Amino acid sequence: MTLRQPVTHLALVRASSGRSAELGARLRDLLEPSLRTPGCLGFTVQRSQADADLWLLSGSWQDQQAMRGYFASPTLELFGELVQARVVSSLDLHTFD
């Protein structure tokens, strides 16, 4: 029997100059669909108090398989759109178990 271990992802997302409000609105659109994803234990979007262009996405997942399923889901197509539209200037993703 395999033990399921919760995992977390943290993504630091930097908005392109002058596009932070737009980025924040689009990232907040991820909240509801992410929270409804099977295996999601929690999901938050936060803006830095010290840097108005820096956003934090944090998700907790039942296990690695649930997180991988989320990363492969259509919900995350939003990131590709934001990068292509140059709303995002950088993305730094980390996972933890």
Side-chain angles (χ1 to χ4, degrees):
M1 183 168 134
T2 304
L3 288 176
R4 290 183 156 185
Q5 181 173 341
V7 294
T8 301
H9 79 268
L10 298 174
L12 294 170
V13 185
R14 180 165 297 282
S16 296
S17 181
R19 310 230 21 212
S20 189
E22 178 184 359
L23 176 61
R26 300 284 304 274
L27 293 177
R28 286 185 186 105
D29 288 344
L30 289 174
L31 281 172
E32 287 304 315
S34 298
L35 288 167
R36 287 193 307 265
T37 301
C40 181
L41 302 175
F43 194 88
T44 62
V45 175
Q46 297 173 289
R47 187 179 196 175
S48 170
Q49 293 180 350
D51 183 344
D53 289 335
L54 187 62
W55 292 84
L56 171 67
L57 287 155
S58 176
S60 296
W61 304 93
Q62 179 178 321
D63 55 28
Q64 188 73 31
Q65 182 178 356
M67 186 175 70
R68 276 194 298 255
Y70 174 70
F71 285 153
S73 74
T75 301
L76 284 193
E77 290 176 6
L78 172 69
F79 274 108
E81 294 170 15
L82 293 173
V83 170
Q84 283 188 325
R86 300 184 190 265
V87 176
V88 172
S89 70
S90 69
L91 172 66
D92 189 14
L93 177 68
H94 299 273
T95 58
F96 302 87
D97 57 14

